[in-house]
Amino acid sequence: MAPPGSLPPGATPKKPPVAPPPPPPADPPEAGGQIGFTGRSQIAATADGDLTLTPNNTGSLLSTLSFGPNAQSAPQLRPTSNVLTLATVGSTAPTSLGGFTGFWAGTLTNTAAYAAIVGSVCGAATECFFAVGAEGKLPAGAINAARHRLEIILRGVYSVAGATDTITLNVKLCQVSGCASGTVVVLGATGAVIPGAAVTTQGWESKVDCNVFTAGASGTLDCQGLSLFALTGLTALQADDMVNAAALTVNTTVDEFISASATWNNATAGNTITLRNFGVKVF
């Protein structure tokens, strides 16, 4: 008989259990505070095209979320609380971060030059609008948050028949294109600009910038602008400011159309102005 504790002949001794290896150390954070898509993050895409990254670790801040270019528009970053939402340009649901509300919303541009406004066609002392149409439409809610900003710029060419002829420019926000009905708000207006000499196919520019102070059906905007008219030979510029001494009341919850107009003081055929370059940035 084998002694107590000994193995019988031919038996193989058992190996002691081996502890599993420790887990590999966590990767250090990337430079710049960037975060990758890991198992600790939730990724969700919604029907409206938004892509949301929600970190489980709510004690961390996400400082950068970058995606490649979109075929239609560049992406935007909308941080709110512990959720970062990436939405396409043109979204009308702004969120806030640290008391600051505002994000890149989109642009409006023209696809061709608009028909000229001619004194002999428009008539003396008659306001006529450039046919901007739907290209000037701000969708409902596009500026429906405080601290949004509009930057409107108009450029083109003009001609004046005589030294005493005048032109007045207006930039308006209307509920239909061309301001034929509904509420009309003048964002900026020149006085009667007098070039003081006959001018042929020289450049002009009007720029109006607006800050949204408050949003809603009776929202308030502060708008200020300036218009420039080049004179023959580019030896001088005729300038006229487009000022507002008080905030403007605008319904920021409905569709609005940016419309621009010109008014000649007479019906002369040589008085003509064309809008060739129209652009609006919404922040």
Side-chain angles (χ1 to χ4, degrees), residues 67-139:
F67 283 74
N70 184 287
Q72 296 179 348
S73 58
Q76 60 167 303
L77 185 63
R78 296 211 314 254
T80 169
S81 183
N82 291 308
V83 178
L84 285 177
T85 300
L86 188 75
T88 55
V89 168
S91 171
T92 58
T95 56
S96 62
L97 174 65
F100 173 77
T101 301
F103 61 93
W104 180 256
T107 60
L108 300 173
T109 61
N110 58 314
T111 56
Y114 304 109
I117 296 175
V118 183
S120 59
V121 177
C122 184
T126 303
E127 183 180 27
C128 290
F129 286 86
F130 296 106
V132 174
E135 291 178 338
K137 179 181 177 180
L138 291 175

Side-chain angles (χ1 to χ4, degrees), residues 227-251:
S227 289
L228 299 173
F229 293 82
L231 302 181
T232 300
L234 298 178
T235 57
L237 289 172
Q238 181 73 38
D240 202 87
D241 55 7
M242 308 168 80
V243 299
N244 290 291
L248 307 172
T249 301
V250 174
N251 187 347

Side-chain angles (χ1 to χ4, degrees), residues 15-257:
K15 296 181 180 180
V18 179
D27 293 336
E30 297 182 19
Q34 297 179 348
I35 185 170
F37 292 105
T38 71
R40 294 175 294 175
S41 302
Q42 299 174 2
I43 305 173
T46 58
D48 61 3
D50 285 3
L51 181 66
T52 303
L53 172 62
T54 306
N56 287 345
N57 181 7
T58 56
S60 300
L61 294 178
L62 299 181
S63 61
T64 303
L65 181 61
S66 300
F67 283 74
N70 184 287
Q72 296 179 348
S73 58
Q76 60 167 303
L77 185 63
R78 296 211 314 254
T80 169
S81 183
N82 291 308
V83 178
L84 285 177
T85 300
L86 188 75
T88 55
V89 168
S91 171
T92 58
T95 56
S96 62
L97 174 65
F100 173 77
T101 301
F103 61 93
W104 180 256
T107 60
L108 300 173
T109 61
N110 58 314
T111 56
Y114 304 109
I117 296 175
V118 183
S120 59
V121 177
C122 184
T126 303
E127 183 180 27
C128 290
F129 286 86
F130 296 106
V132 174
E135 291 178 338
K137 179 181 177 180
L138 291 175
I143 56 172
N144 192 32
R147 299 191 185 182
H148 268 302
R149 179 174 173 84
L150 287 175
E151 294 185 356
I152 306 167
I153 191 161
L154 313 170
R155 290 192 179 105
V157 295
Y158 80 107
S159 297
V160 175
T164 60
D165 295 342
T166 67
I167 185 173
T168 303
L169 297 181
N170 277 272
V171 179
K172 300 183 177 184
L173 208 55
C174 314
Q175 292 177 353
V176 297
S177 180
C179 307
S181 63
T183 303
V184 177
V185 179
V186 180
L187 303 182
T190 68
V193 178
I194 307 174
V199 173
T200 302
T201 317
Q202 295 296 305
W204 67 274
E205 173 183 300
S206 289
K207 191 174 190 298
V208 178
D209 297 328
C210 301
N211 286 346
V212 180
F213 283 175
T214 61
S218 298
T220 54
L221 275 68
D222 184 79
C223 300
Q224 308 296 333
L226 183 70
S227 289
L228 299 173
F229 293 82
L231 302 181
T232 300
L234 298 178
T235 57
L237 289 172
Q238 181 73 38
D240 202 87
D241 55 7
M242 308 168 80
V243 299
N244 290 291
L248 307 172
T249 301
V250 174
N251 187 347
T252 63
T253 68
V254 299
D255 291 347
E256 297 280 2
F257 291 82

